Amino acid sequence: AQRVTQPEKLLSVFKGAPVELKCNYSYSGSPELFWYVQYSRQRLQLLLRHISRESIKGFTADLNKGETSFHLKKPFAQEEDSAMYYCALFSGGYNKLIFGAGTRLAVHP
Amino acid sequence: EADIYQTPRYLVIGTGKKITLECSQTMGHDKMYWYQQDPGMELHLIHYSYGVNSTEKGDLSSESTVSRIRTEHFPLTLESARPSHTSQYLCASSETSGGAYNEQFFGPGTRLTVL
């Protein structure tokens, strides 16, 4: 079955600390994965996609097929990073996305 | 300005009422989607559309219905609202091209509460 698991509902860190938001997936084919973010009172938006291999707002994510993981990392968290983060898997077909339950990142001063 | 609009943003309504959640986009996209999200849970796709007069059910069974008479408009209707319909409803749209993923752009959402 196709599934995305984000094991942490809440991740609380202090400003300047490293951040790792965990995401594991279950998919039989070659996966295409994304991180979406929703800041307070803003709409859900794409943060990054694994095929781009880019760093957005200091965040990176590496696809590890052996561990079926796509963890989101940032070396030094900022208060403005506080948001809900959703990992999502592209399931093909009609442009279908399968979302995880999300992790709330709270960065404290 | 290209955008996705959802109205109302918040709706509190009594059981048994008929409601329509509006979604419009000026992005020029063919594909549109409706997601349902309970607090702390995943977004689940409940409806999608490839274009005018095309609607399909998503993964999560829903008692709601949708229509796509115009490209830019994709309303969702509940004939008789129940407390179990209390949730957030997100509308999204995307382009159509090939088999690769086309980024979905999301509206601001409608938070529905049925008493």
Side-chain angles (χ1 to χ4, degrees):
Chain A
Q2 299 166 358
R3 186 181 298 120
V4 175
T5 303
Q6 293 181 252
E8 302 145 327
K9 291 251 185 222
L10 172 66
L11 183 61
S12 187
V13 302
F14 286 103
K15 177 182 173 182
V19 168
E20 182 178 68
L21 298 166
K22 298 188 187 303
C23 172
N24 290 91
Y25 66 90
S26 173
Y27 187 67
S28 57
S30 184
E32 189 172 348
L33 287 143
F34 308 84
W35 278 97
Y36 274 78
V37 62
Q38 187 168 25
Y39 300 102
S40 178
R41 287 185 289 277
Q42 295 187 28
R43 59 186 70 184
L44 194 63
Q45 59 187 287
L46 181 64
L47 178 63
L48 56 80
R49 51 201 306 175
H50 90 270
I51 60 171
S52 300
R53 293 185 160 273
E54 56 192 346
S55 173
I56 304 292
K57 299 184 178 182
F59 284 98
T60 58
D62 291 319
L63 178 62
N64 186 323
K65 292 185 179 181
E67 296 182 358
T68 61
S69 67
F70 186 56
H71 302 329
L72 183 68
K73 299 177 183 179
K74 185 169 183 176
F76 308 103
Q78 303 299 313
E79 289 179 67
E80 55 265 30
D81 295 328
S82 295
M84 279 293 295
Y85 290 82
Y86 295 92
C87 184
L89 168 70
F90 175 51
S91 181
Y94 49 85
N95 207 41
K96 175 179 173 179
L97 279 181
I98 297 171
F99 283 90
T103 298
R104 178 169 297 282
L105 174 63
V107 182
H108 303 286
Chain B
E1 182 181 342
D3 205 349
I4 302 175
Y5 306 91
Q6 288 188 245
T7 57
R9 294 292 311 279
Y10 302 91
L11 179 61
V12 180
I13 202 163
T15 298
K17 300 290 186 183
K18 177 179 178 178
I19 59 169
T20 297
L21 307 185
E22 301 287 350
C23 176
S24 295
Q25 52 98 2
T26 55
M27 311 282 282
H29 291 160
D30 289 326
K31 288 184 176 174
M32 296 189 73
Y33 314 80
W34 275 105
Y35 289 88
Q36 183 176 342
Q37 183 183 27
D38 294 332
M41 303 296 287
E42 300 89 338
L43 281 75
H44 288 289
L45 184 71
I46 52 174
H47 299 283
Y48 65 98
S49 167
Y50 285 113
V52 172
N53 294 326
S54 153
T55 61
E56 302 287 344
K57 290 191 177 295
D59 298 326
L60 183 67
S61 176
S62 174
E63 294 167 350
S64 59
T65 58
V66 292
S67 62
R68 191 91 183 273
I69 299 172
R70 302 198 318 263
T71 300
E72 62 274 15
H73 196 213
F74 192 40
L76 180 146
T77 299
L78 278 164
E79 290 293 332
S80 179
R82 294 208 300 270
S84 61
H85 296 139
T86 295
S87 190
Q88 175 160 255
Y89 294 84
L90 290 173
C91 181
S93 71
S94 74
E95 293 181 342
T96 303
S97 61
Y101 174 68
N102 292 286
E103 182 179 349
Q104 294 182 24
F105 294 86
F106 286 83
T110 294
R111 191 168 296 278
L112 172 66
T113 301
V114 183
L115 303 176

